[in-house]
Amino acid sequence: MRTKEGNKEQAIFDAAVEVFAERGYHNAKISTIADRAGIATGSVYLYFNNKESIILTIFDRLWERVLAGISVTVARTDLDPQQKLNSIIDTVFDFFISNPALATVFVNEQHHLIKDGRGNVAEQYDRFLDIAEKVLHDGVKNGLFSKNVDVSLFRHFVTGGLRNMLRQWASNPTAIPLDRVRQTLKYVIIHGILRT
Amino acid sequence: MRTKEGNKEQAIFDAAVEVFAERGYHNAKISTIADRAGIATGSVYLYFNNKESIILTIFDRLWERVLAGISVTVARTDLDPQQKLNSIIDTVFDFFISNPALATVFVNEQHHLIKDGRGNVAEQYDRFLDIAEKVLHDGVKNGLFSKNVDVSLFRHFVTGGLRNMLRQWASNPTAIPLDRVRQTLKYVIIHGILRT
Amino acid sequence: MRTKEGNKEQAIFDAAVEVFAERGYHNAKISTIADRAGIATGSVYLYFNNKESIILTIFDRLWERVLAGISVTVARTDLDPQQKLNSIIDTVFDFFISNPALATVFVNEQHHLIKDGRGNVAEQYDRFLDIAEKVLHDGVKNGLFSKNVDVSLFRHFVTGGLRNMLRQWASNPTAIPLDRVRQTLKYVIIHGILRT
Amino acid sequence: MRTKEGNKEQAIFDAAVEVFAERGYHNAKISTIADRAGIATGSVYLYFNNKESIILTIFDRLWERVLAGISVTVARTDLDPQQKLNSIIDTVFDFFISNPALATVFVNEQHHLIKDGRGNVAEQYDRFLDIAEKVLHDGVKNGLFSKNVDVSLFRHFVTGGLRNMLRQWASNPTAIPLDRVRQTLKYVIIHGILRT
DNA sequence: TATGAATGAGTATTCATTCAT
DNA sequence: GATGAATGAATACTCATTCAT
C-alpha cells in the first residue's frame, strides 16, 4: 500500500492555517489548502470530516496548548497575581510568536465560531477568561489590584486589546519588535496611561 | 422624488445593518435585506452597486460621524489630554448606544474589510487612530501620561479592548449597564489595574 | 421584471420525465434537465427544492390522476367487479399511452422511492393496491371470482405483470399495438392461460 | 492458491449481494462490500474489474443456474406444457428461497442493466423468456392453452407478476408463507381469477 | 424607478479506481 | 497476491447580479 509519507494531517493543518490567514475562512478553498499541503483535494477528507472541522481543530489545539500553559502558572503559590498576569501574557505571546499566521486566524475567525456556537471554541475561550478573572479577583482580594475595576469586564478589555495588538504585529511581524508590544501591554495593564 | 429615494436607501442601509448583525456579512443574503427593507431584490442595486458597497457605506458613515464628533473635541484648547481621551470614549460609546446592531457589525466585520483593503475603511480607521495617538502624545509631552507607554501601540490596545467590551455589551445590551462598561474602560485606561 | 414565459415548471417537469426515462434517476443531471427545458441550471431551483423533489412530484401527480380516475369507477354501482377491473386497467393504460416516457420512469424508479420511504409514493401506491384489492374481494364475495386466489397477493401479481408489459411497450411503443397488450392483459387476468 | 482465491471471490460476491440488496446498486460502496467480505478495498479489484462487473457477474450466475434448471425440464417428453410451466415456476421459486437477498437484487436492479445493455443480462433474460414462450406455444398448439392469449406478451406478464410477488415476499420473508405465494401464482396463471 | 424571475459561475464533498509498498 | 492511502473527476445547489417588462 501507499504508506503515509510524513504527517499529512499536520501538512493539511499547517496549509489551512496559512490559507485561512491569507484569505479568511469563507474565501479559502479546500482545493487551495490541498495544493498547499501537496496532496490531492480528496485526500483532505481522509483526515478531516469537512472544512469546518479543520478550523475547529485549529482552535481546539490552540486553546488546548494555551490553557495547558497558563494552568500551570496560575496553580503556583509562589507567584502573586501581578506575576501571574505577566506570565499569562507571556504564554499567549510566546505561542503566537511561533506562528504569526495562527495569530491571524485566531483574531479574525474566532468570533464567527463562537457566535454560531461551533465546536468547543466558546467553552475553551470561557475557560481562559475565567482563569484570568480568577487571577484578577485574587489581586483585588489581597489589595494589590484596585477595587474600582470590574474584573469580569476588565478581562474582556484585556483580551480584546491583546488581540488587536497581536493583529497589528501579525500583519507585519518584522516591523514591530514583539518585546516592545509585550512590554507596553504589561505596563498599561498594570499602570494605565497616567504617569506614576 | 428625492425624499422617497432617500428613504429607500436608508431602509436598505438599516435593514443591512440588522441582517449583517444577525447573520454575519458572508451569510447575509441580499434578498433578505431587500425583504427587510420592504422592497424588491433588484431594487437594492438601484442604490448600491453590490453587496460589498453596502457594508462599505455602513463603515463609511460610521467613521464619518465618529471622526466628526471627536474632531471637535480634540480641537478644543480648554481640555487637557485626559479630558479629551474621556470625551473620545464618550463619543464612541454614545454612537453605539444608539445602535447596538451597528456595534455588532462594527466589531465583527471591520477587520475583513481592512485586511483586504476594501473601500476607505482602513484609511478612516487610521485617521481615528492618528487622532487618538496625537492626544496621547500631547499627554506624554506635557507630562500627564507616562513615557513608558508606546502610544502608537497603546492606541491599538485601547481600540481592541474597547471593541471587545462593546461586543460583550452588544451581545446582550440589557445584561450589562453600559455606564459600568464606560466607567471601567475610562478607569483602566488611566490608572491600569494597580491600586493607587 | 422578466415575466414567466410559458409554464417553466411544466417545462422542467416534462424535461425531467424525459431525462429520467433516458438515463435513470441517478444518472440524470440537473444541468441536462435544465438544458432540455430551455432554462438555466439555477432556474430549476426556483420551481423545485432539489432533484428528489422533482421525481417525487412526478409520482405525486401520476398517482393523483390515476387514483382520481379509478376512484370514480369503483364507486359506481352499475358495474360488477369484473367490469371494474377492466376499467381500472383501461385507466392505467390510457394514462401511460399519453406519455411513454412517464411509463418508463414509473416502472424504473418507483421501487427506489418506496424502498427508502421518500415522499408519498408508498402511501399512494398502497391506496391503489387497496382499491384494487377491494374490487377483487367484492368479486370473490359475490361468487364471481375464485376463492382459490389470495387477493392480497393477486393484486401484486397483476400490478407487477402490468408494469412489465408496460415496460415492454414503452421500450418501443410502435412495435407492439397497445390494444393487443391491453386485451391480453384483461383476458389472462380473468381466464388464465387455460383453454376454456 | 486456487482455493483461497476462489473463497475470496465468493466472499466478495456474497457481500455484494447483501449490500446491493440493502442499499441498492447506486448507493452501495465498494468499501462497504470489501469490509463485509473481510478484505481490503483494493483487493476487490483483483477479482472484479469494476463495480458494474460485480453485479453483472451476479446476474450471470443467477441466470446461468435458472436456465440450467429449466432447460432440463423443458427437454423432458413426459411432461405436458402445464406441468412444464409449473416446474419452471418451482425452479425460480426454489432458487430465490435459498437467497432472499439475491431475489431483492434481482427485482430491483435487473432493469437498469437491461436498459443500458450491460453484459449478458438482456440476452440471458431473453433466453429465459424464449424458453417460456416455447412452452406456452406448445400448449396452445396441442389445445391445452387458449388461443386468445398472445404468448409473447403473456411471458412478460408472468415474469413481471412473478417478480413483484417475489419482491413482496423478499421484503419480509417471514410474513408471507412462500407456498401460498407459489400456489397463488400457479393458480392464477392457469385459471385466471374467474371462478371455474 | 421598480420589479422579481432568470441567470450561471463557483465549490464542498463523495467514492470508484489506482498503485506504491 | 494483498493492502488501504491517495487520487481527482464529477455534480447538486446557492445566491449575487442582471434585465425584460
Side-chain angles (χ1 to χ4, degrees), chain D residues 56-68:
Chain D
L56 289 178
T57 300
I58 290 173
F59 276 93
D60 233 43
R61 295 201 195 156
L62 181 161
W63 282 116
E64 206 178 309
R65 294 194 203 176
V66 170
L67 287 170

Side-chain angles (χ1 to χ4, degrees), chain A residues 5 7-9 11-13 15 30-48:
Chain A
E5 303 161 12
N7 189 335
K8 290 231 170 53
E9 183 182 335
I12 296 166
F13 185 98
I30 292 290
S31 58
T32 307
I33 293 171
D35 275 358
R36 195 78 64 98
I39 59 169
T41 301
S43 300
V44 171
Y45 292 87
L46 296 173
Y47 299 92
F48 296 92

Side-chain angles (χ1 to χ4, degrees), chain D residues 17-34:
Chain D
V17 169
E18 279 181 29
V19 177
F20 288 155
E22 287 168 18
R23 320 275 323 226
Y25 176 75
H26 280 103
N27 292 315
K29 293 193 262 183
I30 292 290
S31 57
T32 306
I33 294 171

Side-chain angles (χ1 to χ4, degrees), chain A residues 126-139:
Chain A
D126 277 345
R127 272 192 61 204
F128 174 78
L129 289 176
D130 288 344
I131 289 172
E133 184 172 342
K134 187 173 182 317
V135 171
L136 297 173
H137 262 306
D138 290 346

Side-chain angles (χ1 to χ4, degrees), chain C residues 21-24 26-27 82 85 107-109 111-112 115-116 125 136 143-146 148-150 153-165 167-168 176 180-181 184-185 187-196, chain D residues 21-24 26-27 82 85 107-109 111-112 115-116 125 136 143-146 148-150 153-165 167-168 176 180-181 184-185 187-196:
Chain C
E22 286 168 19
R23 322 268 326 204
H26 281 102
N27 292 315
Q82 183 173 344
L85 211 49
V107 297
N108 287 341
E109 311 299 344
H111 78 265
H112 283 307
K115 174 165 48 96
D116 298 338
Y125 181 49
L136 297 172
L144 188 63
F145 294 157
S146 169
N148 292 321
V149 175
D150 180 325
L153 279 171
F154 184 61
R155 59 181 197 168
H156 285 115
F157 177 71
V158 172
T159 50
L162 167 58
R163 199 152 58 206
N164 208 34
M165 290 176 89
R167 190 204 303 278
Q168 211 55 30
I176 310 169
R180 188 169 185 77
V181 180
T184 297
L185 182 64
Y187 185 90
V188 300
I189 288 174
I190 299 302
H191 303 101
I193 195 164
L194 225 52
R195 191 179 60 166
T196 47
Chain D
E22 287 168 18
R23 320 275 323 226
H26 280 103
N27 292 315
Q82 183 174 344
L85 209 49
V107 297
N108 287 341
E109 312 298 343
H111 73 264
H112 282 307
K115 172 167 49 92
D116 299 338
Y125 181 48
L136 297 173
L144 187 62
F145 296 156
S146 168
N148 293 320
V149 175
D150 180 325
L153 279 172
F154 183 61
R155 59 181 197 169
H156 287 297
F157 177 72
V158 173
T159 50
L162 167 59
R163 198 152 59 206
N164 208 34
M165 289 177 89
R167 190 206 301 280
Q168 213 54 31
I176 310 169
R180 188 170 185 76
V181 179
T184 297
L185 183 63
Y187 185 89
V188 299
I189 288 174
I190 300 303
H191 303 101
I193 196 168
L194 225 51
R195 192 178 60 164
T196 50

Side-chain angles (χ1 to χ4, degrees), chain B residues 57 59-69 124:
Chain B
T57 301
F59 276 93
D60 233 42
R61 294 201 197 156
L62 182 161
W63 281 116
E64 205 178 309
R65 292 194 204 176
V66 170
L67 287 170
Q124 287 173 306

